[in-house]
Amino acid sequence: MNRRNHPVPLHEAAEDSPTFARLAQLARESTERLKAIESLIPAPLRASIRPGPIEGTTWCLLVDSSAAAAKLRQLLPVFTAKLSSRGVEITAIRLKVGSLQR
């Protein structure tokens, strides 16, 4: 067993561990999904949304206010259709409201 006594960059750790590699892949995929629907999100709301976890065919968006979530809830069918047209297997988009760290 080769133990490292020095810090390892995240990308190296991800390459060495299947679990970290999968998490890194899901984080990239979530970010790509948000970029794919960004043009459908009203400009004033874009800063209040962050990509969240992907669990199977369900994706979560992190939203910083309930007002923003209420508006986004109306757009979820449009988001799902857009992602499906790009070949993303998605059955639901969840919204999680909370303070976003920036």
Side-chain angles (χ1 to χ4, degrees), residues 21-37 51-61 83 86-90:
R22 179 69 179 140
L23 287 174
Q25 177 189 1
L26 287 172
R28 281 190 303 275
E29 188 176 326
S30 185
T31 299
E32 289 169 6
R33 288 180 182 192
L34 183 56
K35 287 180 183 176
I37 64 167
I54 298 171
E55 298 171 354
T57 59
T58 300
W59 179 40
C60 181
L61 287 172
L83 292 169
R86 289 180 155 229
V88 175
E89 188 178 334
I90 188 164

Side-chain angles (χ1 to χ4, degrees), residues 59-78:
W59 179 40
C60 181
L61 287 172
L62 309 174
V63 186
D64 69 355
S65 74
S66 57
K71 178 58 181 169
L72 290 175
R73 218 170 265 111
Q74 298 171 353
L75 297 171
L76 293 180
V78 177

